[in-house]
Amino acid sequence: MALKIRLARGGSKKRPYYHVVLADARSPRDGRFLENLGSWNPMLAKDDEKRVQLNAERIKHWLDNGAQPTDRVLRFLDEAGVAKREAKNNPVKAKPGKRAQERAAEKAQKIADAAAAAADAAE
């Protein structure tokens, strides 16, 4: 059985609250889980100590037994010093899309044409 340490959403509409749970990878997000390992309240300030609460001892136990944390949970574990998360780098993501690149090329061409016309008119 593949185990995941992930978030299960709770709270009401527009007031999210998440439980950090250990669940089978095949179970739904808010479905059955094996153990509750902590909580995350994104409504609290980022510097509030109650924003992220983790049971580090149980999380270490499950990580040693093969459980895989999701990316968001791994961020929390890295902040708590329980696990190490490597920084990701995707330089392609920062580039504009195909249409935006085409529009920028057209705009640059218009500017170049206007500069050339102004230089011809000056002569």
Side-chain angles (χ1 to χ4, degrees):
M1 173 171 32
L3 298 176
K4 287 269 190 187
I5 299 174
R6 64 181 181 202
L7 298 174
R9 188 168 198 255
S12 58
K13 181 178 175 183
K14 297 188 179 184
R15 307 269 311 158
Y17 185 87
Y18 295 91
H19 294 279
V20 179
V21 297
L22 175 79
D24 183 3
R26 298 169 294 183
S27 65
R29 178 192 72 179
D30 299 335
R32 191 174 63 175
F33 60 90
L34 301 172
E35 187 174 348
N36 192 352
L37 301 172
S39 64
W40 173 44
N41 187 353
M43 300 299 287
L44 296 177
K46 291 192 178 191
D47 58 348
D48 193 339
E49 61 204 32
K50 293 183 180 180
R51 182 178 168 97
V52 178
Q53 295 177 331
L54 299 171
N55 185 345
E57 180 183 318
R58 292 302 295 164
I59 290 174
K60 285 180 187 175
H61 167 77
W62 285 112
L63 289 174
D64 292 341
N65 286 320
Q68 295 295 315
T70 59
D71 188 53
R72 176 59 56 183
V73 172
L74 191 55
R75 286 173 184 256
F76 298 149
L77 298 179
D78 188 33
E79 288 176 15
V82 176
K84 181 71 177 136
R85 177 181 175 268
E86 297 297 324
K88 294 185 178 181
N89 183 16
N90 186 358
V92 176
K93 186 174 181 179
K95 292 182 181 177
K98 183 178 165 185
R99 294 279 296 146
Q101 289 177 352
E102 290 173 1
R103 286 192 297 268
E106 290 173 8
K107 187 174 181 179
Q109 184 63 37
K110 285 182 182 179
I111 292 172
D113 292 343
D120 289 342
E123 290 178 3

